[in-house]
Amino acid sequence: MEDQGDIENEGGGIGVMIMENGKDLERNISAVSESGIRQPLLSSKSRVNNTSQIAIIGANVCPIESLDYEIIENDLFKQDWRSRKKVQIFQYIFLKWTLVLLIGLSVGLVGFFLNIAVENIAGFKLLLISDLMLQDKYVQFPFMIIASVISWILLLIVMYFRGFAAYACCNLVLATCAGILCAFIAPAAAGSGIPEVKAYLNGIDAHSILAPSTLFVKIFGSALGVSAGFVVGKEGPMVHTGACIANLLGQGGSRKYHLTWKWLKYFKNDRDRRDLITCGAAAGVAAAFRAPVGGVLFALEEVASWWRSALLWRTFFSTAVVAMVLRSFIVFCRSGKCGLFGQGGLIMYDVNSGAPNYNTIDVLAVLLIGVLGGLLGSLYNYLVDKVLRTYSIINERGPAFKVLLVMTISILSSLCSYGLPWFATCTPCPVGLEDKCPTIGRSGNYKNFQCPAGHYNDLASLFMNTNDDAIRNLFSSDNSSEFHLSSLFVFFAGVYCLGVVTYGIAIPSGLFIPVILAGASYGRFVGTVLGSISNLNNGLFALLGAASFLGGTMRMTVSICVILLELTDDLLMLPLVMLVLLISKTVADCFNHGVYDQIVKMKGLPYLEAHAEPYMRQLVAGDVCSGPLITFSGVEKVGNIIHALKFTRHNGFPVIDAPPFSDAPEFCGLALRSHLLVLLKAKKFTKLSVLCGSNILRSFHAFDFAKPGSGKGPKLEDLSFTDEEMEMYVDLHPVTNTSPYTVVETMSLAKAAILFRQLGLRHLCVVPKKTTGRDPIVGILTRHDFMPEHIKGLYPHLVHHK
């Protein structure tokens, strides 16, 4: 992303949660606003930006700036559209669909690569441990006649420590590599990335979240982290990966890495990038779950703040391309050429092929699972929040401490996943199985672990497998007595706790898989308890448990419902899945917000909610914006512009025409900082204060003012001016947006907030109700002016925090 070089403080302050003496402290850190409206004590000649560095929990997201989703209708823009021919318009439409096609192809290939990498790296690791344990079974001890108990203990020690050493070392090496990539190369790649993508599509440009380095670390770090045995998934990072790919294609490559394409100049604006990134996020879900329709609904329900019918078609097209790419590779992988497990991880969870019939007891059990998912999901979000705040103290010490934390959690995960199966009892293999039992040398339901021939360890079949295979085992309906109640409870407790402590370390990590594993565990537990009195098999109960926990943590309904049905190919479960999702979300909403909403807030991202807070109805737009404003005349002196740009960080400046250019002071429009810098760099100045817009229109093209993407645009410190040039004038009319969105000062703040978010604005101009004897503009509302922290600082009696 473009290095903007300033913190978007939007009206005088930003509320951030910081840690001080071990306690949470909410602090309003004042700085210079983007729009220049919240500095009532300073004149425009004396304002100096004293922006301080803000430490935000969870990620390095400074600087924070809003995105320009609004169409800038200045004279250059109008001239450009009037001069475009039908061929150029067709070229723009064709290129946009081509980019959507490329996004789908690229995300599909990356998704296949991640599956292959995880299945083979984790598979070879698990095969190595399995072989070591088989070798250790045949170790002979000379003291068997003396004391069989002592020999059994010695056998256990040799088997345990030799296998554990190999298992823990493999996990530690993989985890350390992932941690080093994330901590030293791209810290923004940590976590799932869904909160960051959600914030970007809301209009927040956090630093480096979609950079090429973040994409690189996200792909390889996710493969290494999932293969290292962490209780994390690659599905969440796939959403971030898809967004990064879309951003890289949409900005015409990267100037920093000398990968640019001039024919993509049409898309060098935030509006088109927003559409492409939405397609990329949807394609990421489709690649992760093989759920194209679920990907579209996920983008609509969770990540996108702005939607339209044309975007729906493009998003659906991108996910359809992903589905076709993955289907092609599935056919190829059936020949066994994709690695250790044949299908390369591209598996579909087979729940049941028969029509589910349920009775009153089943419905009551479904209600219980829904309530349980809501309670456990809200507790999970609460614990994740506390763990992330604790980890932030460690992560702030530097990259080395981040890697050390990754190594610590890796050892803890290895201890749990390798040690807990030793407490499980060995179970005789079922009679009449098509597959071999126990399964040796491949993935499967029946892991031998330390058991004798003809027996399997049910807990090892969950812990000592890849996450995808563990879910498939839990969803399996072939053997209702495959897992003991004690094993299901231990696995649920282990996955639940490991999922909480793992999320937040410096590796790409998703929440979908840990949540599905934990939910499927207690769902199957309930199904096993009901036994013969239920008409639903254990696999269906596992599916319902996964749905309930997903609804309780992420608070999504429609998209999760469709994803699970596409994932299991069981449309007949639709009514029960819908019911359990509605119950779990309703119960969990009574306690806290969704996990992604919590993380967005924790990171200090100024996210605008879809609804207005009740206290906003007690205020009007004029109550939260104040002057004096920094304004420019239609024909302004160069020295005044440079002084304003140098001593403020504002990105929008009102332009006012005054006599002799108009009969009375008149609000002409809004000029952006980036456009002013381009205009100053060209030095199209005049010695007299006269209109010369026609000369400027002939000298520039609309693409000269396009957003530079990951390359750096012109900066004030790189420009130099003589004393003579400082006294000259420049006509701002050609670069002034003559139709900015405006509201009257008496509009309720709630109505203005809804308008601001739905239109995707960066600046909302406030004009007076009566213009007689008053300036033509009262102030500018920006993102920060709608933040509770800002309003609380102005009117502390109105805002009540829970």
Side-chain angles (χ1 to χ4, degrees), residues 66-292:
S66 285
L67 296 165
D68 292 301
Y69 289 153
E70 181 183 356
I71 297 177
I72 308 299
E73 290 187 338
N74 53 34
D75 292 341
L76 281 167
F77 173 85
K78 295 175 182 177
Q79 175 182 266
D80 175 64
W81 273 101
R82 284 194 297 264
S83 62
R84 285 193 184 185
K85 300 178 181 179
K86 291 184 178 180
V87 175
Q88 293 174 308
I89 297 175
F90 175 79
Q91 182 184 22
Y92 168 77
I93 297 174
F94 175 78
L95 290 178
K96 197 161 190 176
W97 282 97
T98 302
L99 282 178
V100 173
L101 173 65
L102 292 176
I103 289 171
L105 291 173
S106 302
V107 175
L109 292 173
V110 170
F112 175 73
F113 166 76
L114 277 178
N115 279 287
I116 290 293
V118 170
E119 284 293 310
N120 285 278
I121 296 174
F124 282 114
K125 176 191 69 177
L126 294 174
L127 278 184
L128 173 64
I129 308 306
S130 177
D131 292 341
L132 286 175
M133 296 190 70
L134 288 175
Q135 294 174 10
D136 289 331
K137 283 187 176 182
Y138 302 103
V139 176
Q140 300 295 325
F141 292 91
F143 301 106
M144 284 192 177
I145 300 177
I146 300 174
S148 59
V149 175
I150 297 177
S151 64
W152 182 84
I153 294 174
L154 291 175
L155 176 63
L156 181 64
I157 292 174
V158 171
M159 291 173 61
Y160 181 84
F161 283 103
R162 185 179 176 184
F164 174 74
Y167 182 69
C169 287
C170 290
N171 286 343
L172 190 62
V173 171
L174 294 171
T176 304
C177 293
I180 290 175
L181 285 175
C182 200
F184 289 94
I185 298 179
S192 67
I194 293 179
E196 288 80 2
V197 175
K198 183 176 180 178
Y200 183 93
L201 295 178
N202 188 256
I204 303 168
D205 188 6
H207 181 60
S208 297
I209 63 172
L210 299 177
S213 58
T214 304
L215 172 62
F216 170 81
V217 174
K218 206 73 179 183
I219 295 175
F220 292 96
S222 180
L224 293 171
V226 176
S227 302
F230 287 117
V231 184
V232 297
K234 56 185 179 296
E235 286 71 17
M238 272 304 301
V239 177
H240 196 180
T241 299
C244 290
I245 291 173
N247 175 71
L248 186 63
L249 292 174
Q251 66 186 12
S254 172
R255 293 183 182 179
K256 180 179 179 181
Y257 299 100
H258 305 290
L259 297 172
T260 57
W261 296 275
K262 294 182 179 180
W263 55 275
L264 289 174
K265 60 185 178 180
Y266 294 111
F267 304 100
K268 289 186 175 293
N269 61 83
D270 289 329
R271 295 183 76 255
D272 286 322
R273 287 181 195 167
R274 173 186 59 187
D275 292 352
L276 294 175
I277 289 171
T278 303
C279 294
V285 176
F289 293 108
R290 285 176 53 199

Side-chain angles (χ1 to χ4, degrees), residues 235-494:
E235 286 71 17
M238 272 304 301
V239 177
H240 196 180
T241 299
C244 290
I245 291 173
N247 175 71
L248 186 63
L249 292 174
Q251 66 186 12
S254 172
R255 293 183 182 179
K256 180 179 179 181
Y257 299 100
H258 305 290
L259 297 172
T260 57
W261 296 275
K262 294 182 179 180
W263 55 275
L264 289 174
K265 60 185 178 180
Y266 294 111
F267 304 100
K268 289 186 175 293
N269 61 83
D270 289 329
R271 295 183 76 255
D272 286 322
R273 287 181 195 167
R274 173 186 59 187
D275 292 352
L276 294 175
I277 289 171
T278 303
C279 294
V285 176
F289 293 108
R290 285 176 53 199
V293 179
V296 176
L297 293 176
F298 178 85
L300 172 61
E301 182 179 7
E302 181 62 17
V303 297
S305 297
W306 186 86
W307 200 263
R308 71 178 191 274
S309 58
L311 181 59
L312 177 65
W313 279 104
R314 293 190 182 96
T315 306
F316 185 72
F317 178 66
S318 66
T319 57
V321 172
V322 171
M324 289 188 290
V325 171
L326 293 181
R327 175 60 60 182
S328 301
F329 281 113
I330 289 173
V331 174
F332 173 75
C333 289
R334 284 175 181 170
S335 61
K337 300 178 181 180
C338 290
L340 193 63
F341 296 133
Q343 294 183 357
L346 298 172
I347 56 178
M348 181 173 286
Y349 304 128
D350 182 17
V351 178
N352 190 13
S353 57
N357 297 316
Y358 39 88
N359 52 31
T360 304
I361 295 178
D362 294 328
V363 175
L364 293 177
V366 170
L367 297 177
L368 173 63
I369 290 176
V371 174
L372 195 62
L375 295 175
L376 292 174
S378 59
L379 177 62
Y380 191 88
N381 292 357
Y382 173 81
L383 295 176
V384 166
D385 181 84
K386 296 301 179 183
V387 168
L388 287 178
R389 294 178 185 276
T390 304
Y391 285 173
S392 67
I393 303 175
I394 302 174
N395 292 335
E396 286 173 358
R397 296 177 177 269
F401 285 87
K402 293 182 180 180
V403 177
L404 184 61
L405 179 60
V406 171
M407 298 172 68
T408 303
I409 301 300
S410 174
I411 296 174
L412 176 63
S413 300
S414 300
L415 280 170
C416 292
S417 59
Y418 190 86
L420 291 177
W422 289 88
F423 297 96
T425 58
C426 294
T427 305
C429 290
V431 180
L433 287 178
E434 296 181 1
D435 298 331
K436 292 183 179 180
C437 178
T439 53
I440 299 175
R442 58 186 178 86
S443 65
N445 293 35
Y446 306 102
K447 287 290 184 181
N448 181 259
F449 206 60
Q450 86 285 6
C451 295
H455 292 71
Y456 72 95
N457 187 312
D458 59 345
L459 197 53
S461 300
L462 299 175
F463 274 116
M464 301 299 291
N465 251 325
T466 61
N467 291 333
D468 285 338
D469 285 332
I471 295 175
R472 183 176 61 179
N473 294 345
L474 287 171
F475 283 178
S476 173
S477 58
D478 295 335
N479 183 5
S480 60
S481 59
E482 181 179 346
F483 300 101
H484 296 96
L485 288 176
S486 58
S487 298
L488 291 173
F489 179 80
V490 170
F491 182 72
F492 163 73

Side-chain angles (χ1 to χ4, degrees), residues 118 124 144 147 149 212 297 339 440 507 602 657 714 748 753 772 780 792:
V118 170
F124 282 114
M144 284 192 177
V149 175
L297 293 176
I440 299 175
I507 62 168
M602 186 188 312
D657 274 338
S748 69
T772 305
I780 301 178
K792 181 181 179 181

